[in-house]
């Protein structure tokens, strides 16, 4: 089982990135679509402020996933990155523009300039998760063969499954962001703003759910092994959890219970990652099982030890950060 | 010698040179930001501590203003670093696929270091005026530590590429992998770590002090500016002379573990005893033309023995030699700048010590204004020396860069895209630094520029 342990950690990291990083991307979307006027500026500011202290830490989950993956499954990593190079470049460009826009925003108080920066931020906040989701879709639908750029450079990420998962990645982020921002605005005594995010959360949640359901038709035709995996055994169980948690979130938002909604929304997204993993296991890439892809034993042991030791340091620190943030105890850049 | 069978098999890549240039470009963008990640938190924290200790609000003002700069540069450091992580797969998938199990651990541990840095930077930057003074200062300490551990981890990977160990090649396959000894049992690690860490303090110190030196040349010279110049300058001035000694250590390690690189650094065409040092000039036909020649100095510097034998480039086949002039000119640039900066540092420290004040000559401030950009040039030149000097190997003596590269097409498009995006980012960084510098000196507790209460 040692050979699969780093993958489990990487998937936990991916789920956390999907929830935390995804919500940061989603906040960018709400900035993009805020419109104009005083109310819109307030909405954009809220989205920006909520993200400020945490987005860098949330982003590191992506780095975590990458590094664990290339250390523990180097051959699979090389195959994936070379075949999906276009999608990953696109994601990288999105990530650069996003971070740069974020850094620049602190430099200006002028609404006009802020709006321009928020537009770059918002557009790149859609590109990056879409490209990352599309890349995952290429892996999930078996379009990444083992080898140095052996798969289709375009078809590996422009295909029905990729488009579905890319779209879902954007939508779930948008949905999560609305749920979280709703809670933040409510906590900070801004009921009017909370109400606006509530409407957005309900709309985005309904849309994401609808696309996910419709997506099964796509998977049925385009990625049948994955579809079968999701309809049986562990895959089905995880899927059920996700649907239940997603529905519960909508109900909680509807009834204005924002704090518990944060957690059910997160569970809904994490369960999808788990479901994908269970549906696809033990295959990592076509003709390459997780066990075959794994690095030598000493490396696996070292990685696991490093993750456990690092986690022992990390989790309390991360807990402190989120306690401060969720408690509304952090302010602004001085 | 057994040649390596790469994990993903051989490919034809017409754009290897461009792939290398993308890597170089991405590093050249990331490394200066890294310097601020290494050294700036310590400087900000020191100033904040001075404020708490003396109650002098000038220090508090400096700490707040620098915090904004730190936050902006950190964000850009994060994204440029992320691009580098992507490039491990986008540009060199066969390198990662073949050796990820050997060197990857360093990056995996580094991930945790980044986590700590990002978490506490979030708390520190957004905790001003919110946390208790004591808690706020404490939240800054992990950032400083993470700057050190982060450098240690990434440098351990680079040192491994330069002096690989911790695995065996069995009929071309990588076996008997021991990542811990590969990364941390490597004698090549330590000079690189110390040299880079000091470089971080020099670059940050000279750039920040240089900005205030420019201000002084334009007539902005209050107590705020004097203090904000003295702190980073003192730190950089202390680091600069030490850096020369560490550079000598680095050169001796290179002589020991990478004799071909040393030969390229110094333009030694043929193996000789009592090798001469050449300053300036151009390498061709197996020797340095038009350089200033100092007999026996190279043997003395590299081996601390004027008659030591120095291996020449002719010891290895032509296909195994790096491009000599690129490496040699970069090296000489770094050493030249390093010597000048050490001199500047010593002058400053001398004036501080004997006269107990800042230097007054306008020439000192002109030199200081130049020192910031020059230290950056030295930094990049140093990395060019190390990385291009290792060519044609990506893993010294084991894997060629041609074996590591991706088989994907579209490298020129990726190159153009990244170059464009980086140009935009660079323009943005310049813009925000100028905005932050131009902002009027705010009162100690600035009103928060928000649209809502709370
Ligand atoms: C502010 C920057 C700076 C300054 C002033 C110097 N260096 Fe440097 N040097 C670097 C910044 C740097 C670096 C951080 O860019 C490198 C690249 C790899 C490394 O470990 O440090 C480097 C590499 C490097 C190497 C190659 C090491 C290797 O390949 O492993 C040598 C031999 C030297 N340096 C020697 C010197 C000497 C003799 C200097 C003094 C006069 C000097 N450096 C000043
Ligand atoms: C671990 C993965 C790494 C890979 C795959 C890699 C590979 C390369 C390659 C192929 C080049 C181009 C060389 C040439 O132009 O001839 C390069 C350049 C460079 N590398 Fe590395 N390297 C790695 C690690 C590092 C590290 C850890 C550092 C710094 C700590 C570093 C610093 C640089 C710099 C600054 C250049 C630019 C040289 C220039 O400006 O021309 N590299 N790298
Ligand atoms: C192959 C080479 C490299 C890779 C893959 C890489 C990767 C990264 C990544 C992913 C980040 C973002 C961390 C975050 O999200 O917070 C980052 C930032 C950072 N990197 Fe690099 N890096 C490389 C070279 C270097 C070098 C040469 C150094 C210095 C010795 C370095 C030191 C740092 C530091 C201190 C940060 C913290 C962010 C900052 O303060 O700007 N990295 N790097």
């Amino acid at each position: 089982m040692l050979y699969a342990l780093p993958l489990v950690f990487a998937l936990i990291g991916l789920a956390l990135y999907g929830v935390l990083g995804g919500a940061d991307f989603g906040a960018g979307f709400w900035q993009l679509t805020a419109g104009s006027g005083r109310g819109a500026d307030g909405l954009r500011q809220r989205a920006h402020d909520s993200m400020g202290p945490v987005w860098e830490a949330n982003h590191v989950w992506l780095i975590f996933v990458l590094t664990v993956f290339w250390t523990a499954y180097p051959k699979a990593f090389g195959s994936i990155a070379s075949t999906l190079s276009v999608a990953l470049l696109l994601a990288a460009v999105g990530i650069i523009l996003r971070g740069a826009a974020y850094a620049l925003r602190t430099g200006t108080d002028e609404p006009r300039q802020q709006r321009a920066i928020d537009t770059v931020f918002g557009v790149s906040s859609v590109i990056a998760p879409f490209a990352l989701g599309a890349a995952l879709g290429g892996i999930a639908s078996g379009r990444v063969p083992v080898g140095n750029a052996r798969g289709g450079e375009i078809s590996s990420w422009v295909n029905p499954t990729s488009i579905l998962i890319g779209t879902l990645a954007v939508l779930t982020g948008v949905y999560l962001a609305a749920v979280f921002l709703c809670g933040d605005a409510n906590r900070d005594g801004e009921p009017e703003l909370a109400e606006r995010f509530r409407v957005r959360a309900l709309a985005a949640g309904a849309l994401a759910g609808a696309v996910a359901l419709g997506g099964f038709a796509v998977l049925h035709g385009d990625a049948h092994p994955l579809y079968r995996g999701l309809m049986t055994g562990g895959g089905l169980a995880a899927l059920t959890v996700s649907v239940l948690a997603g529905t519960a979130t909508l109900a909680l938002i509807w009834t204005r219970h924002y704090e518990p909604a944060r957690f059910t929304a997160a569970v809904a997204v994490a369960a999808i990652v788990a479901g994908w993993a269970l549906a696809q296991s033990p295959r990592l890439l076509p003709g390459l099982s997780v066990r075959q892809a794994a690095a030598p034993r000493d490396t696996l042991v070292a990685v696991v030890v490093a993750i456990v030791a690092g986690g022992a340091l990390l989790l309390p620190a991360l807990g402190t950060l989120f306690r401060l943030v969720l408690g509304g105890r952090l302010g602004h850049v001085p | 010698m057994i040649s390596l069978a790469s994990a993903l098999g051989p490919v034809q890549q017409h754009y290897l040179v461009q792939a290398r240039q993308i890597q170089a470009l991405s590093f050249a963008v990331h490394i200066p930001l890294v310097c601020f990640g290494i050294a700036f938190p310590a400087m900000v924290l020191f100033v904040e501590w001075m404020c708490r200790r003396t109650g002098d609000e000038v220090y508090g003002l400096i700490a707040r203003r620098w915090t904004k700069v730190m936050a902006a540069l950190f964000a850009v450091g994060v994204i440029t670093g992320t691009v580098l992580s992507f490039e491990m797969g986008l540009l060199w998938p066969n390198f990662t696929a073949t050796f990820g199990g050997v060197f990857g651990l360093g990056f995996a541990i580094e991930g945790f270091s980044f986590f700590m840095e990002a978490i506490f930077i979030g708390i520190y930057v957004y905790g001003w005026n919110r946390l208790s003074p004591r808690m706020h200062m404490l939240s800054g300490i992990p950032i400083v530590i993470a700057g050190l551990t982060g450098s240690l981890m990434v440098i351990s990977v680079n040192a491994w590429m330069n002096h690989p160990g911790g695995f065996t090649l069995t009929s071309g396959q990588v076996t008997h992998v021991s990542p811990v000894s590969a990364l941390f049992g490597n004698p090549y690690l330590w000079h690189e770590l110390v040299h880079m860490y000091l470089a971080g303090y020099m670059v940050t110190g000279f750039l920040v002090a240089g900005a205030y030196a420019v201000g002084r040349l334009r007539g902005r010279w209050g107590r705020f500016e004097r203090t904000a110049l003295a702190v980073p300058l003192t730190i950089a001035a202390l680091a600069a002379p030490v850096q020369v000694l560490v550079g000598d250590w680095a050169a001796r390690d290179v002589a020991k573990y990478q004799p071909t690189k040393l030969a390229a650094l110094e333009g030694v065409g043929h193996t000789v005893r009592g090798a001469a040092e050449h300053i300036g000039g151009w390498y061709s036909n197996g020797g340095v033309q038009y350089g200033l020649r100092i007999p026996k100095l190279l043997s003395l510097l590299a081996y601390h023995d004027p008659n030591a034998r120095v291996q020449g480039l002719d010891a290895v086949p032509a296909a195994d030699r790096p491009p000599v002039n690129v490496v040699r000119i970069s090296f000489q640039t770094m050493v030249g700048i390093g010597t000048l900066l050490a001199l500047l540092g010593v002058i400053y420290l001398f004036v501080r010590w004997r006269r107990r004040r800042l230097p007054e000559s306008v020439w000192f401030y002109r030199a200081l204004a130049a020192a910031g950009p020059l230290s950056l040039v030295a930094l990049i030149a140093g990395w060019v020396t190390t990385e291009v000097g290792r060519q044609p190997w990506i893993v010294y003596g084991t894997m060629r860069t041609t074996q590591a590269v991706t088989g994907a097409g579209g490298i020129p498009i990726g190159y153009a895209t990244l170059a464009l995006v980086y140009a935009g980012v660079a323009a943005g960084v310049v813009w925000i630094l100028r905005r932050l510098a131009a902002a009027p000196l705010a009162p100690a507790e600035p009103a928060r520029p928000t649209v809502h209460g709370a």
Side-chain angles (χ1 to χ4, degrees), chain B residues 7 23 73 95 133 144 159 184 269 285 320 351 387 435-436 448:
Chain B
Q23 182 75 34
L73 292 181
F95 166 62
V144 180
F184 308 115
N285 298 327
D320 289 356
V351 173
E387 295 292 296
R435 295 273 313 198
L436 291 176
R448 295 200 287 114

Side-chain angles (χ1 to χ4, degrees), chain A residues 19 47 56 65 76 103 129 137-138 159 168 181 183 199 203 229 235 239 241 250 280 288 290 308 327 334:
Chain A
V19 171
E56 273 147 345
V65 173
N159 59 67
L168 270 178
L181 288 170
V199 176
L239 199 63
V241 171
L250 283 180
Q280 184 167 329
L288 187 73
V290 175
V308 171

Side-chain angles (χ1 to χ4, degrees), chain B residues 174-192:
Chain B
V174 178
T175 55
H176 298 94
V177 171
S178 162
V180 175
S181 74
L183 294 172
F184 308 115
N186 184 354
Y188 207 84
L189 167 61
W190 305 108
H191 79 259
E192 279 205 67

Side-chain angles (χ1 to χ4, degrees), chain A residues 31 35 53 79 84-85 98 141 237 301:
Chain A
Q31 290 189 319
S79 306
L84 289 166
S85 58
R98 225 176 96 80
S141 58
V301 172

Side-chain angles (χ1 to χ4, degrees), chain A residues 30 43 46 178 181-182 185 193-201:
Chain A
W30 294 123
L43 196 141
R46 171 80 261 170
L181 288 170
C182 205
L193 209 52
E195 207 50 38
R196 299 174 65 178
F197 281 118
R198 173 169 172 267
V199 176
R200 285 167 165 77

Side-chain angles (χ1 to χ4, degrees), chain B residues 4 19 35 39 61 78 107 125 135 144 153 160 178 223 232 241-243 249 254-255 279 291 304 328 342 382 439 446:
Chain B
L4 173 81
C35 290
L61 201 53
V78 167
F107 284 118
V125 168
M135 286 311 287
V144 180
M153 290 306 148
W160 174 82
S178 162
R223 212 165 85 71
V242 181
Q243 184 75 319
W249 170 24
V254 171
I279 298 173
H304 289 188
R328 185 166 173 275

Side-chain angles (χ1 to χ4, degrees), chain B residues 50-402:
Chain B
M50 287 298 285
C51 171
R52 305 262 181 263
R53 220 182 52 143
T54 64
D56 184 344
E57 254 312 314
V58 162
Y59 288 112
L61 201 53
I62 295 173
R64 283 196 181 77
R65 284 177 75 96
W66 285 0
T67 298
K68 285 189 185 181
V69 176
M70 180 169 82
L73 292 181
F74 182 73
V76 186
V78 167
I79 53 178
T80 54
T82 307
V83 173
L84 284 173
S85 308
F86 275 55
E87 284 173 354
M88 297 288 292
L90 292 181
L91 295 175
W92 319 108
N94 226 348
F95 166 62
T96 313
T98 310
F99 288 110
V102 186
F103 71 76
L105 180 69
F107 284 118
I109 301 177
E110 195 193 18
F112 284 100
S113 183
F114 289 154
F115 257 127
M116 288 311 215
E117 198 163 0
I119 289 170
F120 284 99
I121 264 211
I123 295 178
Y124 185 84
V125 168
Y126 293 87
W128 272 102
N129 310 335
R130 289 300 192 98
L131 301 178
S132 74
R134 204 182 126 77
M135 286 311 287
H136 189 248
M137 282 222 48
L138 281 180
S139 75
I141 292 170
I143 310 176
V144 180
I145 298 173
L148 176 61
T149 50
S151 312
L152 168 65
M153 290 306 148
V154 78
I155 296 277
S156 73
V157 176
N158 191 262
W160 174 82
M161 292 164 67
N162 278 304
H163 184 59
F167 67 94
T168 319
L169 275 191
T170 317
S171 47
Q173 302 294 325
V174 178
T175 55
H176 298 94
V177 171
S178 162
V180 175
S181 74
L183 294 172
F184 308 115
N186 184 354
Y188 207 84
L189 167 61
W190 305 108
H191 79 259
E192 279 205 67
L193 175 66
V194 178
H195 202 47
M196 176 65 209
Y197 198 70
L198 282 179
Y201 277 87
M202 285 179 69
V203 168
T204 309
F206 280 125
L207 276 175
V208 176
Y212 293 102
V214 172
R216 172 176 158 134
L217 293 172
R218 294 187 181 153
R220 259 185 300 167
W221 195 238
R223 212 165 85 71
F224 174 89
E225 284 83 5
R226 285 202 302 276
T227 316
L229 178 136
V231 172
L233 178 56
T234 307
I235 292 170
L238 288 169
V242 181
Q243 184 75 319
V244 176
L245 301 179
V246 179
D248 171 61
W249 170 24
R252 276 182 291 120
D253 270 2
V254 171
K256 189 155 150 200
Y257 300 108
Q258 292 189 325
T260 313
K261 190 193 265 181
L262 184 82
L265 250 52
E266 304 288 356
V268 182
H270 312 283
T271 305
V272 281
R273 287 189 175 281
E277 172 81 42
H278 293 85
I279 298 173
W282 178 263
Y283 177 87
S284 70
N285 298 327
V288 176
Q289 321 291 330
Y290 310 116
L292 172 65
R293 186 187 142 95
I294 307 173
K296 301 207 184 230
L297 184 60
L298 175 55
S299 288
L300 185 64
L301 283 177
Y303 296 97
H304 289 188
D305 166 6
N307 293 314
R309 180 168 165 279
V310 175
Q311 181 181 319
L313 287 158
D314 60 358
V316 296
D320 289 356
R321 299 175 201 164
V324 178
N325 279 312
V326 176
V327 179
R328 185 166 173 275
I329 291 171
S330 304
F331 179 65
Q332 298 229 332
T333 305
M334 166 177 61
V335 176
I337 293 174
T339 311
L340 291 176
L341 292 179
L343 201 66
L344 189 69
V346 170
I347 291 175
Y348 168 75
L349 293 174
F350 184 79
V351 173
R352 281 295 312 230
W353 174 55
R354 294 308 295 256
R355 312 243 168 93
R356 313 210 152 268
R357 62 166 171 76
L358 292 174
E360 278 164 359
S361 154
V362 70
W363 283 104
F364 178 81
Y365 292 93
R366 287 187 186 144
L368 190 51
L374 281 178
S375 64
L376 259 186
V377 172
L379 175 81
I380 303 291
W383 278 111
V384 172
T385 307
T386 299
E387 295 292 296
V388 181
R390 189 186 60 233
Q391 301 300 321
W393 306 102
I394 194 165
V395 182
Y396 190 62
T398 304
M399 179 183 232
R400 285 171 193 276
T401 311
T402 43

Side-chain angles (χ1 to χ4, degrees), chain B residues 36-48:
Chain B
F36 278 81
I38 289 175
F40 213 28
M43 294 186 193
V44 176
L45 219 55
F46 174 76
V47 181
E48 188 187 1

